[in-house]
Amino acid sequence: LVGSKGGRDIEQVNQDRAFVYEFGDTRVTGVMDGHSDFGHLVSEWSRNELLQTLHSLENLDEKSISDVVVSIDSSMPESIALNGGATASFVIQKNKTLFFCNVGDSRSFLVAASVSNTELLDATVVHSTEMHKPDSPGERARLEAAGMIVEVKDGDDSRVWYTSEGGIQSGLAMSRALGDRDAGAAVTAEPVIDILDIDNVQSQI
């Protein structure tokens, strides 16, 4: 679904990338939400690099997944990383282990559903990832310790403000992202990873 930033419909660009990818006993599902001028290029490049790298990864654990995401960000071409960014929220299922990986203010959910024939009887959110917003207590402290200005507003409009090398001031609505190289090191691409065992989840429902 193409978002609108104003102007003619023909000028709108879908900056989001969603994916479902399976290889061997592993399934990866997720979304990347691009922003700024080259956000669609950041999300496109990041998605492709993520899936290719995960496919070739020998050891799948929290550290290796985190290293992959950080490496994708650091190796991103400057031509797009300086002019755009993207969130990354994805889930890796390997056998009965779920890795929830999140960077930015997109979210992933695990939902337990009760179905009779084709009728949904009940649905419960069992797990959800944390959004990385500038006004989240831990995120705000980290940003301000790095000298960045966090503007707190009601609702979902908080911003972390930074000035690019070209002297342009910008406000980012998330505290972690891929790309956004101008925002400085405090706006990190380091993911938060939650690990769930499907058997343990089922026993608690």
Side-chain angles (χ1 to χ4, degrees), residues 129-142:
T129 57
E130 173 190 353
M131 290 200 299
H132 300 133
K133 304 297 289 184
D135 62 342
S136 300
E139 296 296 279
R140 181 178 183 180
R142 180 176 60 79

Side-chain angles (χ1 to χ4, degrees), residues 2-185:
V2 179
S4 175
K5 297 182 180 297
R8 299 186 305 159
D9 288 345
I10 195 67
E11 296 170 344
Q12 305 306 313
V13 176
N14 188 346
Q15 296 190 304
D16 305 335
R17 297 295 182 270
F19 46 91
V20 177
Y21 185 64
E22 293 186 354
F23 54 98
D25 58 2
T26 304
R27 174 186 294 163
V28 187
T29 61
V31 65
M32 294 180 175
D33 181 357
H35 54 261
S36 196
D37 291 345
F38 286 0
H40 52 295
L41 301 180
V42 173
S43 56
E44 176 84 9
W45 192 88
S46 299
R47 178 199 60 186
N48 294 345
E49 289 294 309
L50 174 70
L51 297 180
Q52 289 176 15
T53 307
L54 287 178
H55 196 159
S56 61
L57 201 62
E58 293 184 5
N59 182 35
L60 194 64
D61 58 20
E62 182 176 0
K63 184 180 185 307
S64 64
I65 296 169
S66 180
D67 288 346
V68 165
V69 176
V70 172
S71 175
I72 287 171
D73 179 68
S74 62
S75 62
M76 187 181 300
E78 291 289 297
S79 58
I80 62 174
L82 284 169
N83 297 287
T87 68
S89 190
F90 59 93
V91 181
I92 302 173
Q93 178 180 352
K94 184 174 180 62
N95 297 319
K96 293 191 175 184
T97 302
L98 297 172
F99 299 91
F100 285 78
C101 184
N102 205 60
V103 179
D105 60 355
S106 295
R107 302 180 78 179
S108 295
F109 298 88
L110 176 63
V111 177
S114 175
V115 180
S116 175
N117 295 324
T118 59
E119 181 182 0
L120 178 64
L121 301 179
D122 184 53
T124 303
V125 175
V126 178
H127 181 76
S128 62
T129 57
E130 173 190 353
M131 290 200 299
H132 300 133
K133 304 297 289 184
D135 62 342
S136 300
E139 296 296 279
R140 181 178 183 180
R142 180 176 60 79
L143 294 169
E144 291 181 337
M148 304 190 78
I149 298 172
V150 175
E151 180 185 22
V152 179
K153 294 183 177 181
D154 292 336
D156 203 27
D157 294 326
S158 298
R159 293 285 189 276
V160 54
W161 290 92
Y162 62 92
T163 303
S164 69
E165 291 183 2
I168 299 174
Q169 191 176 48
S170 301
L172 194 62
M174 64 206 70
S175 54
R176 301 183 188 221
L178 300 173
D180 288 314
R181 197 79 84 236
D182 268 351

